[in-house]
Amino acid sequence: MIVLHARPSPGFREAVDAIFGPGVVTHVDEAAPLDDVAGEISALLHVLTPVTADFIASAPNLKLIQKLGIGVNTIALDAAREHDVAVCNMPGTNSQAVAEMALSLMIAVLRRTCFFDARTRAGEGWTADPSELDLVGEIKGRTVGLVGFGHSAQRLAPVLEALGARVVYTARSEKPVTYEHWPLDRLIAQSDIVSLHMPLTDDTRASIDPFAMKKGAVLVNCARGELIDEGRLGEALTSGHLRGAGLDVFAEEPLPRGNLLLGLPNVVLAPHIAWLTPETLVRSLTVAHENCRRLAAGEALLHRAV
């Protein structure tokens, strides 16, 4: 049995049936446990709901956990190894969508799109305090620091450069590109916009300190919420240390009611959908289908992480 553990849109369901065949994949809502299918499941198509060690131990026929995306931090990898369950991801399939989302968040924060949208809908767009316009800005002339230089950052960098930004990056090793490679501390301290494109690991958790950023800078995060100390981020945004932030990911998801970030006018928020476009889904499901075929045929799997 192949199980998709998610809350798919109608278009997502249609794509699953088109690629795998009608009825081949069993859908289990992301809010529901997998207990009822644990004994039958052979391949799990995983989106965001954590795959725990207890579940892996309870699924004797499970052979593949296929991440529809890149990050495998929501999977109990040690338990997968212990029970000889393969874990695969799919680098590159969502890079276009994430790059576009990061760019849109940068522009939305700099141009205060959500702020002026709300004012215009309320009939106040033309009568707002003129000083509000002093808080907008352009990408051109700003230094944009990309933390991590994987597929999404590589797609984003030339677009930013074409818009007139100075692009710098940090990564574990220098890449054969024309952009400057800076150490993380320098990039954080000197960039006007910091955009996160790195995985969540023990080393990267809470590694981005908002108060180490340049005063008046913008933070964009389409990677993982735990990369930042959200408490300090809230303080940096309310104190005026940061100009604003564009956030698609959070330490706790869904974002709890009452979270400080929800009430800040200099923050643009999205519910972890940077990766999620119909085009990404088709690319992702095509890889997942191929790995399920390979699993059944006893062939080597694509992009195996465990």
Side-chain angles (χ1 to χ4, degrees):
M1 176 189 287
I2 302 172
V3 171
L4 170 64
H5 197 202
R7 184 169 294 166
S9 66
F12 193 170
R13 288 179 180 272
E14 290 176 6
V16 171
D17 287 344
I19 292 169
F20 280 84
V24 172
V25 175
T26 298
H27 297 263
V28 177
D29 189 273
E30 63 185 9
L34 292 167
D35 299 349
D36 291 343
V37 296
E40 303 174 66
I41 184 171
S42 58
L44 174 65
L45 306 184
H46 164 63
V47 181
L48 288 173
T49 303
V51 183
T52 65
D54 287 343
F55 166 72
I56 293 172
S58 73
N61 296 311
L62 182 62
K63 299 299 180 186
L64 169 65
I65 301 170
Q66 176 66 66
K67 170 72 176 185
L68 299 185
I70 300 172
V72 294
N73 57 290
T74 49
I75 302 169
L77 300 179
D78 289 341
R81 292 188 187 94
E82 180 183 348
H83 292 275
D84 196 27
V85 176
V87 176
C88 299
N89 64 356
M90 42 186 66
T93 56
N94 64 14
S95 301
Q96 182 72 29
V98 172
E100 291 185 10
M101 184 66 156
L103 177 63
S104 72
L105 288 174
M106 291 178 196
I107 294 173
V109 173
L110 286 173
R111 299 306 302 267
R112 307 189 69 198
T113 304
C114 295
F115 175 86
F116 285 112
D117 175 85
R119 294 298 185 277
T120 303
R121 291 175 188 274
E124 302 169 359
W126 287 267
T127 59
D129 183 346
S131 66
E132 298 287 0
L133 294 170
D134 293 337
L135 301 177
V136 304
E138 299 177 353
I139 285 178
K140 183 177 180 179
R142 284 181 159 82
T143 297
V144 181
L146 305 177
V147 182
F149 205 69
H151 294 284
S152 62
Q154 290 170 26
R155 287 179 181 268
L156 180 59
V159 179
L160 292 167
E161 187 175 52
L163 288 172
R166 178 190 186 188
V167 178
V168 300
Y169 75 97
T170 187
R172 286 176 292 184
S173 60
E174 291 193 41
K175 310 297 181 184
V177 295
T178 58
Y179 315 113
E180 293 180 62
H181 177 268
W182 286 3
L184 178 62
D185 55 352
R186 180 186 177 191
L187 183 147
I188 294 296
Q190 297 184 19
S191 295
D192 300 297
I193 302 172
V194 174
S195 186
L196 305 186
H197 299 268
M198 60 181 175
L200 178 66
T201 67
D202 289 341
D203 291 333
T204 61
R205 188 181 302 275
S207 60
I208 307 301
D209 181 0
F211 281 100
M213 292 174 59
K214 181 178 180 180
K215 183 174 175 57
V218 170
L219 176 65
V220 170
N221 189 7
C222 292
R224 288 292 182 268
E226 297 96 323
L227 296 171
I228 312 164
D229 182 328
E230 282 188 1
R232 288 179 64 78
L233 175 59
E235 294 173 12
L237 289 163
T238 54
S239 68
H241 180 77
L242 292 185
R243 171 189 290 258
L247 307 172
D248 180 60
V249 289
F250 308 93
E252 182 180 351
E253 297 177 354
L255 196 60
R257 293 183 182 276
N259 186 292
L260 175 64
L261 296 172
L262 292 170
L264 298 182
N266 55 343
V267 180
V268 178
L269 306 173
H272 203 146
I273 56 170
W275 69 282
L276 189 54
T277 64
E279 295 87 350
T280 288
L281 289 175
V282 169
R283 290 189 292 265
S284 300
L285 291 169
T286 300
V287 174
H289 178 263
E290 173 62 13
N291 263 351
C292 289
R293 185 200 67 77
R294 290 180 178 224
L295 180 69
E299 299 175 9
L301 301 173
L302 299 172
H303 311 303
R304 186 165 180 170
V306 170

